[in-house]
């Protein structure tokens, strides 16, 4: 096994935990001071190679009073 000496710039677990807690407190304070709302508007969506899982026709729900047209044979 290879063991390496601990460098001075390596942080211990407790030091890392303290830094993480400090960062979380800063983020919480920023959230309190900055109450912004974000709205997203999508102008255009490009869908490449769509996959159709199911195609359903519900013709029984259509109210047709008159139907006319030419019949092809």
């Amino acid at each position: 096994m290879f063991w390496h000496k601990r460098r001075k710039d390596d942080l211990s677990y407790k030091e890392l935990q303290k830094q993480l807690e400090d960062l979380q407190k800063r983020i919480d304070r920023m959230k309190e001071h900055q109450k912004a709302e974000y709205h997203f508007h999508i102008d255009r969506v490009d869908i490449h190679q769509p996959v159709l899982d199911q195609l359903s026709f519900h013709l029984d729900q259509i109210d047709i009073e008159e139907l006319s047209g030419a019949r092809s044979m």
Side-chain angles (χ1 to χ4, degrees):
M1 282 190 222
F2 295 102
W3 298 97
H4 60 84
K5 290 184 179 181
R6 185 174 171 191
R7 297 185 318 201
K8 291 181 181 179
D9 58 343
D10 287 344
L11 297 175
S12 70
Y13 173 77
K14 288 182 181 181
E15 291 169 332
L16 289 172
Q17 184 69 27
K18 184 176 180 336
Q19 284 185 0
L20 184 61
E21 289 172 0
D22 290 342
L23 287 172
Q24 186 62 48
K25 287 177 185 177
R26 286 183 187 182
I27 290 171
D28 291 341
R29 277 184 280 170
M30 287 174 61
K31 286 181 183 177
E32 290 174 5
H33 293 292
Q34 182 183 10
K35 300 210 180 209
E37 291 185 24
Y38 297 97
H39 300 274
F40 297 96
H41 179 79
I42 300 172
D43 290 328
R44 186 175 125 187
V45 175
D46 293 326
I47 300 173
H48 303 283
Q49 299 176 344
V51 176
L52 182 64
D53 291 333
Q54 181 180 6
L55 179 62
S56 301
F57 294 100
H58 300 281
L59 300 177
D60 57 332
Q61 298 175 357
I62 299 174
D63 185 24
I64 300 173
E65 292 181 15
E66 182 181 330
L67 181 64
S68 65
R71 189 173 166 192
S72 63
M73 292 192 169

